[in-house]
Amino acid sequence: MESNSPSVQSTPRRQLINWDLAASSAAKLTPAGPTMSPREIAGAVQNLRNLADASVGHVHAISRLDAARDLRDSELLVVDRASWAKANAQSFRTLLEPALDHLAETRPEAFSSASMTLGSALTGAQLGTILAFLSSKVLGQYDPFVPSRNGMGGRLMLVAPNIISVERELSVNPSDFRLWVCLHEQTHRVQFAAAPWLKDHMTGHISELSAGLMDKADTLSERLGNAVKSLSAPKGGSALRKTGGDGPGQDMGILSVLQDPEDKARLSHLTAVMSLLEGHANVVMDGVDASIVPTVKTIRRRFNARGKSRGPLEKLIRQLLGLDAKMRQYSDGAKFVRRVVDQTGMDGFNLVWEAEGNLPTEQEIHAPDEWIDRMSIRRHG
């Protein structure tokens, strides 16, 4: 498999997270993928690259985004599980180090105590363990935050062992399934190409959220303790569920009990953006018919039913990490996109990529007509 996951170097000053340990732990703990000969691996890698290239034209036709015509500012990598895990350790470092710098510069007296306080929650070994778990679940990922080897755009990673494992598990046509997956992942690549401001926008908000948490590092230990206690709360009263009215609140994993109002507002905005990105990618992926992916109906049916067979341990881990909330983002975002496209057409929806102010709020994700009215877009009919 190809790799673009340079070693993650630590500096003595930043030991809140040991990035080297995170990367090495993740690589060591990743479970083995499906058994394949070197020839089969080489063939699968080339096939995935070919199908990823072929999917771009379909993304362009469905999304009507001209950015799909030229994606040379980013790169495509077909990777194994360990390479994906290492790459994401690098991504976490890129996103979190500004917050660590902020903590070191603004509260140097708390840095040492924060390292001790958060040691059980944010150690490199624990991060590596989480990445190892995820490494066998992710089919593909577009990472806009770490530059590609040409120093320009991000990188699209297709995790070949996972794609092959799932297509075998579902007994679906391999080429059809791979193309279907590529349609989703290439859409993410196109989104950031269509909205070149989006990377910095998201990076800024993630940094603000991280810095906000770091600023409260001296109280985080107590809140982590409360979070752990909440796991044993009676059904119907679990603190894992975001509370406060009948709005669009949803389970957000263990992080849901760690934010104050400002943090929750930042998280709400990022949730809306992620819902938009994932929902739009799902709409594009589902925009294909049998003329493009002949067995698409079978793939959709079997893939959607797959989540029902998860074991209790995996379900618990997914809840703790907020992965089920992410799946709801797919659904909520897709409903938003479909409603807007139905009312205004794809060109009307594509106004969302033109400016930061056009991004929907979390409330608007659940009430698409409010976004349409705010954008003053003319409805069909």
Side-chain angles (χ1 to χ4, degrees):
M1 306 297 174
E2 302 159 348
S3 175
N4 184 33
S5 51
S7 61
V8 184
Q9 301 297 321
S10 301
T11 62
R13 183 167 67 85
R14 301 185 189 115
Q15 291 301 316
L16 193 59
I17 299 176
N18 187 324
W19 301 108
D20 285 333
L21 184 58
S24 62
S25 297
K28 291 176 182 177
L29 294 173
T30 51
T35 302
M36 300 177 67
S37 69
R39 182 176 180 179
E40 288 175 320
I41 292 173
V45 169
Q46 188 57 53
N47 182 241
L48 280 167
R49 293 191 66 85
N50 292 341
L51 291 171
D53 290 340
S55 69
V56 175
H58 300 308
V59 172
H60 177 245
I62 297 170
S63 71
R64 298 176 62 88
L65 289 171
D66 286 339
R69 293 183 183 274
D70 188 356
L71 297 176
R72 288 178 295 176
D73 67 334
S74 58
E75 65 182 327
L76 169 66
L77 296 167
V78 182
V79 300
D80 58 20
R81 291 170 173 175
S83 295
W84 179 88
K86 289 180 179 179
N88 273 267
Q90 183 186 16
S91 296
F92 273 112
R93 179 180 180 177
T94 300
L95 289 172
L96 293 180
E97 276 205 335
L100 300 181
D101 288 339
H102 171 80
L103 180 63
E105 293 169 4
T106 61
R107 299 182 59 195
E109 76 286 350
F111 196 79
S112 177
S113 61
S115 298
M116 296 171 60
T117 301
L118 295 175
S120 63
L122 293 176
T123 62
Q126 287 176 320
L127 177 58
T129 300
I130 291 172
L131 290 174
F133 171 79
L134 295 175
S135 71
S136 64
K137 311 299 178 185
V138 176
L139 301 182
Q141 174 191 13
Y142 180 68
D143 182 356
F145 304 113
V146 176
S148 59
R149 283 176 289 196
N150 62 17
M152 297 173 63
R155 56 193 181 189
L156 173 62
M157 294 178 285
L158 297 173
V159 190
N162 297 345
I163 295 173
I164 293 167
S165 179
V166 173
E167 71 190 28
R168 290 179 177 180
E169 175 190 341
L170 300 181
S171 298
V172 293
N173 181 281
S175 291
D176 283 3
F177 182 73
R178 295 171 190 178
L179 177 58
W180 190 67
V181 171
C182 288
L183 286 164
H184 181 101
E185 302 307 333
Q186 287 284 30
T187 301
H188 286 314
R189 197 179 181 191
V190 170
Q191 290 165 346
F192 283 87
W197 48 267
L198 185 58
K199 171 190 170 182
D200 289 341
H201 178 81
M202 291 188 67
T203 301
H205 280 76
I206 291 171
S207 295
E208 288 178 1
L209 178 61
S210 301
L213 290 174
M214 295 301 175
D215 278 339
K216 307 171 193 68
D218 52 353
T219 64
L220 213 52
S221 178
E222 179 182 353
R223 284 181 283 155
L224 279 169
N226 292 334
V228 173
K229 291 178 182 178
S230 74
L231 299 181
S232 60
K235 290 184 178 180
S238 173
L240 286 174
R241 181 168 298 278
K242 185 177 177 182
T243 58
D246 299 323
Q250 57 184 334
D251 292 354
M252 293 303 294
I254 200 168
L255 284 178
S256 65
V257 299
L258 301 183
Q259 288 92 33
D260 63 15
E262 291 77 14
D263 295 328
K264 288 183 178 180
R266 297 182 184 109
L267 184 60
S268 175
H269 177 74
L270 288 171
T271 298
V273 175
M274 290 304 299
S275 296
L276 170 71
L277 299 180
E278 296 294 355
H280 178 241
N282 263 20
V283 169
V284 171
M285 180 174 67
D286 288 341
V288 302
D289 56 24
S291 67
I292 300 173
V293 180
T295 60
V296 65
K297 290 184 178 180
T298 299
I299 290 172
R300 286 181 186 137
R301 184 179 69 253
R302 294 181 183 177
F303 188 82
N304 291 337
R306 178 172 173 262
K308 300 177 181 179
S309 63
R310 295 191 179 100
L313 178 59
E314 182 177 346
K315 289 180 180 179
L316 174 62
I317 294 174
R318 292 180 65 86
Q319 185 182 27
L320 291 177
L321 297 179
L323 298 182
D324 289 332
K326 181 177 174 62
M327 296 306 296
R328 282 190 292 276
Q329 287 177 2
Y330 283 50
S331 176
D332 295 342
K335 290 177 182 177
F336 171 85
V337 175
R338 291 190 179 101
R339 174 63 180 177
V340 173
V341 171
D342 178 67
Q343 293 293 302
T344 72
M346 187 62 77
D347 291 336
F349 165 79
N350 281 339
L351 289 176
V352 77
W353 311 115
E354 293 187 359
E356 296 179 10
N358 291 6
L359 291 171
T361 65
E362 189 176 9
Q363 174 62 36
E364 288 171 338
I365 286 289
H366 295 267
D369 286 1
E370 293 182 11
W371 183 84
I372 295 172
D373 292 340
R374 180 165 67 85
M375 292 294 101
S376 301
I377 306 174
R378 184 177 179 180
R379 287 177 165 83
H380 291 319

